[in-house]
Amino acid sequence: MGFQAAVNITEIAGRGRSLVTSQPLRAGQIVLKDSPLILYSASPFIKSSSPEEKPSKGCYCSHCFKATIFRQSENQSFVPCPSCSNSTDWVLFCSPNCQSSASVTSHTPWVCQALSRLRDGFSSSNLQQQLECQVQARFLVAAYNLAVISPANFMILLSLQGSSSSSLKLDDSTVFLHSLISNICPPIIPSSAGFSFSPELTAALLSKDKLNAFGLMEPFAEKKERSVRAYGIYPNASFFNHDCLPNACRFDYLDADGGEMNNTDIIVRVIHDLPQGREICLSYFPVNLCYSDRQKRLKEDYGFTCCCDRCKVEANWKEEVEVEEEDEEDMDEDADEMMDEGENDFPHQYFFLRYMCGRKNCGGTLAPVAPSSSEPSTLMECNVCGKLKSEEEDDDDDDDDGEEGSMDDGDDAFDT
């Protein structure tokens, strides 16, 4: 797993470490297959109504995060964590294999104890409504568990983009989270690891999480807002820089069965042909966001202002040209309005016509499926809803033809 041979890691002035093509790439070509360093649940510590309740639709495995539906008629059962079986916050696994693997990786005895104590601590405090704080606590447990079971992979985590422990100032939230874990269940890190449990290390870890975590999403539904099921930090995918008109997009198949890859792995494919020496970029969020919303998210979440070609054009637009959030329709209508301004005002119209999914409320990006050795692919796949369509097919919002893929995520959840 990792980068394909056609990609190099290069230092670009003003952009840091970047991924650049070492040879021409064809549309749909895979440039990365990546496995997560750590995964952690996006759910806060919220109690179920009753520990006797059977798991319902929407439950997922606490190790692989695959959705599992309890079907009493089929006698389907979950495998609970032996130590968490009496908990009101279900810790369940989809199979004995997942439970066994989790016991030595993602749900070790220390993790089990730490999560149980954190759950009790949040339940008895006035912090129950601070959902972000609870999810950050889950991340820190996963990160410090990695430090114990695999110091080498923990060092890879610390090498990712984000502030180092020596350059960070501790804010109130970081101090609280570190004190919470320190008082409840401090990790026992081997002295040979070369680092120790400290507020500065906690701050550095939170910085890595903020800049590098990918959200693994619930399946797309037209009439329901998608939510994050889990977060994962992928060591190689962190090298992709942002562009508001990306030339690649990521795919994951969280609920897929079988295959050569684990269901939590991600794939990055290029959207169109690329020449040698071109930087490969993802969008950190849906590309149909307006200029002001994109700049706000990039500044708040990543600390930079985007100066890509698209932003340079849209920065000169009048405010009334941008689509107000409360009146925002699907991207096809947005693109039509913007293209009415003329090609000189919106020179990137071809991208939205060809590579935006036209399905209602989707906002995903289309990329060709991986081409064969001799023929280019003519089948496009949406990285949000998973819809498959041929390049010749009209992309109509109300057109439900085409095969549904198993895609569970898109560029809308790069950040935490």
Side-chain angles (χ1 to χ4, degrees):
M1 300 289 270
F3 295 120
Q4 305 302 297
V7 178
N8 288 330
I9 300 175
T10 305
E11 192 79 18
I12 298 179
R15 296 179 66 82
R17 294 179 297 183
S18 309
L19 297 178
V20 176
T21 60
S22 59
Q23 63 188 48
L25 299 183
R26 300 163 61 191
Q29 192 165 336
I30 295 173
V31 295
L32 174 67
K33 295 179 180 179
D34 208 5
S35 299
L37 281 174
I38 57 173
L39 291 168
Y40 61 97
S41 173
S43 300
F45 295 96
I46 297 176
K47 293 183 177 181
S48 304
S49 57
S50 170
E52 289 77 28
E53 287 183 0
K54 295 291 185 184
S56 60
K57 183 176 182 180
C59 288
Y60 50 79
C61 176
S62 296
H63 179 63
C64 71
F65 292 98
K66 185 180 297 184
T68 47
I69 302 173
F70 182 81
R71 301 182 181 91
Q72 190 171 11
S73 60
E74 299 177 14
N75 198 30
Q76 178 182 346
S77 61
F78 294 87
V79 180
C81 168
S83 302
C84 299
S85 57
N86 295 323
S87 171
T88 55
D89 181 25
W90 287 89
V91 177
L92 302 166
F93 303 96
C94 62
S95 67
N97 286 340
C98 258
Q99 192 276 329
S100 176
S101 177
S103 67
V104 294
T105 55
S106 64
H107 197 72
T108 62
W110 177 79
V111 170
C112 183
Q113 185 180 43
L115 293 179
S116 296
R117 292 182 178 180
L118 283 170
R119 183 187 310 115
D120 294 339
F122 278 112
S123 298
S124 62
S125 72
N126 60 358
L127 297 167
Q128 192 169 358
Q129 301 304 316
Q130 297 185 15
L131 303 184
E132 182 179 0
C133 182
Q134 297 183 46
V135 176
Q136 286 178 324
R138 285 191 182 273
F139 160 71
L140 289 172
V141 169
Y144 276 120
N145 177 64
L146 184 67
V148 174
I149 65 171
S150 180
N153 281 337
F154 185 75
M155 295 305 294
I156 294 176
L157 175 62
L158 288 180
S159 72
L160 301 181
Q161 183 182 4
S163 301
S164 64
S165 57
S166 60
S167 62
L168 280 167
K169 294 182 179 179
L170 302 181
D171 57 25
D172 293 341
S173 175
T174 299
V175 171
F176 166 76
L177 284 167
H178 182 80
S179 299
L180 184 66
I181 294 177
S182 179
N183 292 331
I184 287 178
C185 195
I188 304 174
I189 300 175
S191 57
S192 59
F195 47 83
S196 59
F197 180 62
S198 68
E200 291 75 19
L201 185 54
T202 295
L205 288 170
L206 290 172
S207 174
K208 310 299 180 182
D209 179 55
K210 180 179 177 64
L211 295 181
N212 297 285
F214 284 82
L216 303 179
M217 309 292 286
E218 297 289 350
F220 169 80
E222 286 187 359
K223 297 182 179 180
K224 182 180 179 182
E225 184 177 353
R226 298 176 78 210
S227 59
V228 184
R229 185 183 299 176
Y231 291 105
I233 295 184
Y234 295 79
N236 296 309
S238 65
F239 287 98
F240 287 105
N241 286 324
H242 167 82
D243 195 288
C244 293
L245 281 182
N247 52 27
C249 58
R250 72 181 177 98
F251 291 80
D252 63 61
Y253 305 89
L254 191 57
D255 287 328
D257 291 318
E260 298 179 357
M261 298 173 57
N262 293 323
N263 69 299
T264 55
D265 293 344
I266 63 173
I267 294 175
V268 175
R269 302 204 303 258
V270 296
I271 296 172
H272 49 73
D273 292 348
L274 295 178
Q276 181 177 345
R278 181 66 54 84
E279 183 183 8
I280 305 174
C281 296
L282 302 177
S283 177
Y284 292 174
F285 37 69
V287 297
N288 59 346
L289 293 184
C290 67
Y291 171 79
S292 58
D293 287 345
R294 298 198 311 271
Q295 293 292 352
K296 181 180 179 182
R297 287 190 61 172
L298 290 171
K299 191 66 175 178
E300 291 179 352
D301 295 345
Y302 301 98
F304 71 89
T305 299
C306 185
C307 298
C308 70
D309 291 343
R310 179 184 173 191
C311 284
K312 290 177 181 177
V313 171
E314 295 182 18
N316 297 319
W317 286 1
K318 296 179 181 179
E319 283 296 320
E320 57 264 27
V321 174
E322 294 187 351
V323 181
E324 296 294 335
E325 182 176 351
E326 60 268 23
D327 297 327
E328 187 172 332
E329 300 292 338
D330 56 84
M331 191 58 214
D332 269 3
E333 295 180 6
D334 292 346
D336 288 341
E337 292 178 11
M338 290 185 286
M339 286 186 288
D340 285 341
E341 297 296 315
E343 186 173 349
N344 292 332
D345 294 321
F346 190 62
H348 311 298
Q349 57 181 292
Y350 179 77
F351 181 94
F352 294 97
L353 285 173
R354 184 172 178 82
Y355 301 114
M356 282 298 299
C357 180
R359 193 171 183 180
K360 187 175 181 180
N361 297 327
C362 175
T365 303
L366 298 171
V369 299
S372 66
S373 58
S374 58
E375 296 293 332
S377 174
T378 59
L379 193 63
M380 307 282 281
E381 179 183 12
C382 175
N383 73 334
V384 171
C385 72
K387 182 177 180 178
L388 298 173
K389 65 182 283 287
S390 67
E391 291 187 359
E392 294 78 17
E393 201 177 321
D394 289 335
D395 200 3
D396 187 355
D397 287 354
D398 298 324
D399 180 13
D400 289 328
D401 294 336
E403 182 181 352
E404 284 294 320
S406 57
M407 176 54 48
D408 290 321
D409 195 18
D411 295 327
D412 52 331
F414 182 88
D415 53 319
T416 53

